[in-house]
Amino acid sequence: DAMVIQNPRYQVTQFGKPVTLSCSQTLNHNVMYWYQQKSSQAPKLLFHYYDKDFNNEADTPDNFQSRRPNTSFCFLDIRSPGLGDAAMYLCATSISRGTSPTDTQYFGPGTRLTVL
Amino acid sequence: AQKVTQAQTEISVVEKEDVTLDCVYETRDTTYYLFWYKQPPSGELVFLIRRNSFDEQNEISGRYSWNFQKSTSSFNFTITASQVVDSAVYFCALSEAEGGSEKLVFGKGMKLTVNP
């Protein structure tokens, strides 16, 4: 089945130790997103890739970076995790054809990050 | 600015009861999309429905139904004969139809607990 896959599902890291979260998709969608969701809150968009073009949200801290080496994969790098970065990180994908209406975003199962 | 309000934060019902989740939105755009997502305890955001601003027809899918009213800027979601498996957090979201940023604006979510 076509899907959005996130690995690992649970990640524990130490304060200040870099961590990378992974997202892959078999939907062949050209847009990939990373959201941060803290407990009992709505998902918050960090950034997205429109094809190879990176679009950062204005309030996303510099501590968060992303890479998209190809259509299928996208990575979220947290350079120096702080205790406040503990959250669920959700990857999503969609098709966007520029002038066409916004298509639905499909989400992966998320990676729950714990910072010790 | 776009905004989505889910006034109810938490609802608890007994199985087989009907329950309606309210969603009110604000946007200046004439073309926009509305979504409902379900987030069970496992964490994955599951897409339920997408509705564009020009289609005010109500929709029914099994036990789920949606009532879109532009006059009141509302997009309410009703679960008929609720079941324990419906227990989840439900998010209403709004997206612009065009633009460089394919951004979903989420409401704060509503936690539904269905008790046996």
Side-chain angles (χ1 to χ4, degrees):
Chain A
D1 289 341
M3 56 175 41
V4 182
I5 301 162
Q6 290 188 244
N7 286 307
R9 294 292 309 276
Y10 299 89
Q11 176 73 57
V12 180
T13 190
Q14 291 181 337
F15 183 96
K17 185 175 181 181
V19 65
T20 295
L21 309 182
S22 169
C23 177
S24 63
Q25 51 122 345
T26 59
L27 298 162
N28 204 32
H29 286 174
N30 62 330
V31 190
M32 294 186 77
Y33 310 78
W34 278 105
Y35 288 84
Q36 179 193 63
Q37 186 181 24
K38 295 189 176 180
S39 182
S40 302
Q41 295 184 20
K44 177 180 178 298
L45 182 65
L46 294 174
F47 26 59
H48 74 277
Y49 273 94
Y50 189 122
D51 295 317
K52 294 183 179 181
D53 294 333
F54 178 69
N55 298 271
N56 200 27
E57 292 299 299
D59 57 354
T60 298
D62 292 340
N63 198 25
F64 292 88
Q65 304 285 320
S66 187
R67 297 171 282 134
R68 189 179 185 185
N70 53 52
T71 301
S72 301
F73 284 86
C74 195
F75 300 98
L76 169 62
D77 301 309
I78 308 176
R79 293 193 295 187
S80 182
L83 297 178
D85 297 327
M88 174 76 91
Y89 290 88
L90 294 162
C91 174
T93 72
S94 72
I95 291 180
S96 181
R97 302 178 185 88
T99 55
S100 296
T102 300
D103 205 349
T104 300
Q105 293 187 25
Y106 294 94
F107 286 79
T111 294
R112 190 170 296 280
L113 178 68
T114 300
V115 181
L116 300 178
Chain B
Q2 293 180 313
K3 186 178 176 183
V4 176
T5 301
Q6 294 180 256
Q8 310 142 310
T9 55
E10 197 163 345
I11 293 179
S12 183
V13 300
V14 177
E15 218 171 9
K16 298 184 183 177
E17 279 187 49
D18 298 347
V19 58
T20 295
L21 288 58
D22 298 331
C23 175
V24 174
Y25 63 92
E26 294 176 30
T27 180
R28 294 181 192 172
D29 295 323
T30 55
T31 304
Y32 51 89
Y33 286 76
L34 295 162
F35 301 81
W36 276 96
Y37 284 87
K38 174 184 180 180
Q39 189 173 40
S42 59
E44 181 176 359
L45 272 169
V46 178
F47 165 71
L48 296 178
I49 190 171
R50 169 176 176 251
R51 173 67 72 212
N52 77 55
S53 52
F54 297 109
D55 182 2
E56 287 193 70
Q57 279 193 349
N58 292 331
E59 181 155 339
I60 298 175
S61 177
R63 297 183 296 106
Y64 295 171
S65 62
W66 291 270
N67 183 357
F68 177 29
Q69 293 196 346
K70 280 179 86 169
S71 59
T72 56
S73 297
S74 65
F75 186 43
N76 296 337
F77 172 30
T78 297
I79 302 174
T80 303
S82 60
Q83 299 177 0
V84 173
V85 293
D86 296 327
S87 298
V89 179
Y90 291 87
F91 289 96
C92 181
L94 169 69
S95 178
E96 288 180 318
E98 295 181 22
S101 179
E102 306 275 351
K103 191 169 180 176
L104 276 177
V105 176
F106 285 92
K108 292 187 175 181
M110 200 288 298
K111 183 178 181 181
L112 173 65
T113 301
V114 181
N115 297 300

